[in-house]
Amino acid sequence: MGAEVPPSRPAGRPNPALLGAWTLAAAALAGWAFVAGFGGFLDQAVAPFGTYDIAVTARQWSWSFTYPNGWTADTLHVPLDRPVRLTLASEDVMHGLSVPALRLSEAIVPGRAGEAWFEADVADTFELRSDIYSGDGYSGMRTALIAESPAAFDAWLTRVSDIFSGRTDVEVGELLYNRKGCVACHSLDGTKRVGPSFLDAYGHEVETRDGGRVLADDAYIRESILEPNAVIVAGYEPVMTPYAGQITDREIAAVTAWLKTLSGHGGAEAAAVPDTTGADAGQKETE
Amino acid sequence: MSGGSGAPDAGYLGGSAAPGGWLGTRDHKRIAVLFLGWSLGVFLLGIVYAVIMKLRAQSGIIDTHTYHQMLTQHGVLMVFLYVVPAIPSILGHFVLPLQLGAANMAMPGFSLWSFRFYALGTLCFLVSLFFGPTAAGWTFLTPFALTGEGAFMLMAAGLCLAALGWLVTGLNIIVTVHTRRDSGVGFFAMPLFSWGIYLAGYLLAAVGSLFAIIIVYLALSRAYAGGIFGPQSDPLLWQHYFWFVTTPAAYFALLPAVGVIGDMVAGIARKGFTGYRVTVGAMIALLGLSFTTWGLRMLGTGLSEDLGVVFAVLNLATAVPVALIAYCWLATLHRGAVLCGAPTTFVVAFLLQAGIGVAMGLCLGSLAAGRYLANTLFVTAQSHYLMMGGVMTALLAGLHWWWPKLTGRMYRQGLGRFAAGLYLVGLNLAFVPQILQGLAGVPRGVYTLPAELAGSELVSLTGVWIMITGLVLVASNLFGSLFDGPAAPANPWGAATLEWQAESPPPAGNFAAPPRAAADPYVG
């Protein structure tokens, strides 16, 4: 084959004008790519004013979305034509929140407060999933993002947030015990925590710090929730946060009804003490 | 081209040509052959993993956990043990001393140890698979690398050994270029392949040592559940270290690839190289930029906006040297008497595939798009275009170019062109669907693909089979030539660089008579 090929001939020098134009064209292309992407990048980075805020929590391998009224769901409902700001948190490893249809992709790093925003302008159901490897369940870590008209969104949130819907007062009382944070300080088995146990609390007389005695009736329960430091049970400190303005009368009544079931003085329901510590079965709306 | 015209002189391949036999050899050519054989085995294993993972979508042949394990092994095999070190190890060891007119590398013991480190590292990795493959991903994401099952420590030891091999190879290359230009080859009269290998030498040395260090730190963090990358540290810290160290590793694969194509473009055009100094300057610029571009890899992991802008600009800046190099290639081919052999087809394949990879890189550097695409299959496809379409194609091109020198045999040109065409078609069928899936937002590394992608996955799988068929034909053509190929002349392509003045295959000392170096390496 060597005999068939002609000998090499010297090369010419590069044409400076052509080389310059070619290089400038490449630089211009790269510059255009930068400029074209820069505006959108900044838009994504800074959320506008007037956003509707939803807190996103990712964990191996599920999502939860907490709305401004405290309701937590495992699907993300958003109102149309309004910027939605997501605050992002991870309970364990890194995750990524990705909604390709809305060009949304944001890392969720444990220990860091993340943020992302978007605005849906089409009523539809989109896939929301993780796009950062988080272990074996990574592929299944997806849920739905449902964009709907503001009226439909409000109706949905009102409906699912109404904790009395489909529940008895006793069930709602138990749910509030878990959701309002009572569970952290008041046990259901007589164990002394920061506050007195709820076991056999209702209907009993208790000794107060100032040496008096008070009957734990409906009025006392109500006062202990709204102004907990008015009367302190002996052996405890006045450290509870007042719930005035954070709980409705109907909810107080539900809690009271539930407390009765935990007490020998509460009525027939008191026979069994449900073990609900830490349980949160009714908290989530699943769709 | 077939039929054989008598056995060529066995040269360095002959039994008595070099002391130490094969496994103890210090002859750079035999070392290159050892690297070639070992790399081929690693590549085959990596391909088996790829096919099994591809089949999951159709057949569910593996479960999720096995898939993540295999994804990790595929990445480690293909990136760290095959495609990144392949060109410097195989072609670098074989061609560099010949192009410099030298009898051997400057430090033949280092050559031998570079292979031993590589082989031992690979063995450690393979043995680790029997004790439990890790599933932390080929980027060893924390905390999975710290707490996940698997013989992580053995794999880490294997990677440290492989990295030591890079360090040793890099030092050997640098010293060889500085001390073994025996025939008066001027620094700016070195062929572009030698320049590519020389520049890669610095990266091999730097990345080899840094990679070994961070792997040791990661292993210590795992062993003691603490330390710099331990469970208490930010998971992004490891990722920054990892990408800072390994992004330049891609450049020690790409710079020699640029060199291979540079030499071949001049050779197949039958001309001197237009813009030699421009190309060398552009390659040096790429070397400089190689340590500044890692951050864009982090765009999908919460990188700050300021840093996102800085890294996007630095990444896009690589467009200028890449454009300069491409101009010089095209200007050299312009009005050349282009040879119509298999090497030419591989060069064309390289230009097309690497061009697509570079264009995709522009998309990733455009921040809004890059941020959206950063964690999708688009990135997977782009790295495959650069590594398989770019580096692997350059390796195949180089093997077809220097095969007559390596073995003393000619292979079938028509079959070579056909195989290159199949490889090109297969590669695109395999990865264009991945580009489209990435644009649709499909994340990388997910086991379950959306049902509507079944069709495009089938196209992709078909592409993989076509690509493999092309590679089987490449192997049968090249290795078949050892049995029935005609003896290769010393200079089958009529090229001017010094290696073609040696016999095919060269004897142990390379040159029977001192080679004559010209002022222009491409015009003899």
Side-chain angles (χ1 to χ4, degrees), chain B residues 117-209:
Chain B
F117 281 136
Y118 170 53
L120 278 174
T122 313
L123 284 176
C124 280
F125 170 76
L126 293 175
V127 171
S128 82
L129 301 183
F130 290 99
F131 289 97
T134 178
W138 70 273
T139 60
F140 316 120
L141 292 172
T142 57
F144 309 106
L146 302 171
T147 55
E149 53 158 29
F152 182 85
M153 300 306 245
L154 196 53
M155 184 186 72
L159 286 172
C160 279
L161 285 168
L164 279 179
W166 302 350
L167 170 63
V168 169
T169 303
L171 293 175
N172 204 3
I173 286 170
I174 294 167
V175 175
T176 300
V177 168
H178 281 277
T179 65
R180 286 292 185 272
R181 284 177 285 123
D182 292 344
S183 302
V185 178
F187 221 69
F188 282 94
M190 286 199 303
L192 290 171
F193 176 73
S194 291
W195 265 107
I197 290 291
Y198 172 58
L199 296 177
Y202 288 98
L203 287 176
L204 281 159
V207 172
S209 39

Side-chain angles (χ1 to χ4, degrees), chain B residues 358-372:
Chain B
V358 169
M360 292 170 78
L362 277 182
C363 297
L364 293 173
S366 185
L367 281 164
R371 185 185 170 117
Y372 166 66

Side-chain angles (χ1 to χ4, degrees), chain A residues 5-9 11-12 14 18-19 22-23 26 33-34 37-38 44-45 100 106-107 112 129 131 133-134 136 138-139, chain B residues 64-65 68 135 143-144 234 270-272 274-275 301 305 309 316 323-324 327 335 339 366 368 371 375 440 443-447:
Chain A
V5 293
S8 293
R9 58 190 167 84
L18 204 53
L19 179 61
W22 170 277
T23 309
F34 179 78
F38 186 62
Q44 286 174 332
E106 192 68 46
R112 292 193 189 190
R129 62 177 308 154
D131 62 359
Y133 176 68
S134 55
D136 282 349
Y138 159 56
S139 296
Chain B
T64 308
H65 186 64
H68 289 301
F144 309 106
D234 190 323
R270 317 289 313 113
K271 284 170 65 184
T274 302
T301 55
E305 282 72 30
V309 169
L316 291 171
L324 290 171
Y327 177 89
R335 293 188 179 166
L339 293 175
S366 185
R371 185 185 170 117
N375 294 327
R444 39 186 181 161
V446 287
Y447 173 80

Side-chain angles (χ1 to χ4, degrees), chain B residues 157-391:
Chain B
L159 286 172
C160 279
L161 285 168
L164 279 179
W166 302 350
L167 170 63
V168 169
T169 303
L171 293 175
N172 204 3
I173 286 170
I174 294 167
V175 175
T176 300
V177 168
H178 281 277
T179 65
R180 286 292 185 272
R181 284 177 285 123
D182 292 344
S183 302
V185 178
F187 221 69
F188 282 94
M190 286 199 303
L192 290 171
F193 176 73
S194 291
W195 265 107
I197 290 291
Y198 172 58
L199 296 177
Y202 288 98
L203 287 176
L204 281 159
V207 172
S209 39
L210 290 173
F211 190 57
I213 288 169
I214 64 166
I215 290 289
V216 166
Y217 279 173
L218 185 65
L220 289 175
S221 295
R222 179 181 168 104
Y224 296 105
I228 183 170
F229 302 125
Q232 296 81 19
S233 82
D234 190 323
L236 291 181
L237 185 68
W238 163 254
Q239 293 190 37
H240 274 292
Y241 272 85
F242 179 85
W243 288 116
F244 175 71
V245 171
T246 57
T247 307
Y251 284 79
F252 73 59
L254 288 166
L255 284 170
V258 167
V260 168
I261 301 301
D263 274 16
M264 291 182 64
V265 159
I268 63 180
R270 317 289 313 113
K271 284 170 65 184
F273 192 88
T274 302
Y276 170 85
R277 284 187 182 243
V278 171
T279 301
V280 170
M283 289 163 80
I284 292 172
L286 284 178
L287 173 71
L289 286 168
S290 67
F291 271 102
T292 68
T293 56
W294 91 92
L296 207 64
R297 297 274 187 175
M298 306 290 293
L299 200 57
T301 55
L303 194 69
S304 78
E305 282 72 30
D306 299 344
L307 283 178
V309 169
V310 169
F311 284 117
V313 169
L314 288 167
N315 271 268
L316 291 171
T318 59
V320 172
V322 168
L324 290 171
I325 291 167
Y327 177 89
C328 295
W329 286 339
L330 296 176
T332 303
L333 287 171
H334 181 60
R335 293 188 179 166
V338 177
L339 293 175
C340 280
T344 308
T345 318
F346 277 105
V347 168
V348 172
F350 172 89
L351 295 176
L352 291 173
Q353 302 306 92
I356 294 173
V358 169
M360 292 170 78
L362 277 182
C363 297
L364 293 173
S366 185
L367 281 164
R371 185 185 170 117
Y372 166 66
L373 295 169
N375 294 327
T376 69
L377 284 174
F378 188 89
V379 170
T380 311
Q382 196 241 357
S383 52
H384 280 83
Y385 266 101
L386 282 182
M387 290 295 130
M388 287 290 286
V391 178

Side-chain angles (χ1 to χ4, degrees), chain B residues 450-471:
Chain B
E452 62 269 23
L453 294 181
S456 70
E457 263 306 284
L458 196 60
V459 172
S460 182
L461 179 64
T462 309
V464 170
W465 287 123
I466 293 175
M467 184 170 69
I468 289 174
T469 308
L471 289 172

